Amino acid sequence: KALGRFETVLKKDPNNTEAMYMLAVVYKELGRKEEAIELLENCKKNVDNPQFTADIDAFIKTFK
């Protein structure tokens, strides 16, 4: 259910970084790693915070 809900939120608000992050987590769990990484990269672009960027980069490294 989470997948559909987060996708719906992003259709209505494409810049919702919280929904992007959570959908990326769902995608990772479903094995859709490329889609998850793409969302996380977009999330980084929308949040101007060096610590957040570092945290996202560290999270992406766990995909491999």
Side-chain angles (χ1 to χ4, degrees):
K1 290 183 181 183
L3 176 67
R5 290 182 182 169
F6 290 127
E7 288 176 335
T8 299
V9 169
L10 287 176
K11 283 180 186 173
K12 293 182 180 184
D13 182 8
N15 294 318
N16 185 320
T17 54
E18 185 176 351
M20 278 185 215
Y21 178 82
M22 296 306 296
L23 183 56
V25 171
V26 171
Y27 281 161
K28 180 184 180 198
E29 293 300 316
L30 293 173
R32 296 167 63 177
K33 295 178 182 182
E34 285 78 26
E35 292 168 288
I37 291 170
E38 181 179 335
L39 274 176
L40 291 168
E41 292 294 340
N42 286 335
C43 199
K44 285 190 326 186
K45 291 176 188 174
N46 291 328
V47 176
D48 185 25
N49 181 321
Q51 183 59 51
F52 179 76
T53 299
D55 291 344
I56 292 296
D57 289 338
F59 182 52
I60 289 172
K61 287 181 183 176
T62 69
F63 285 37
K64 299 171 179 166

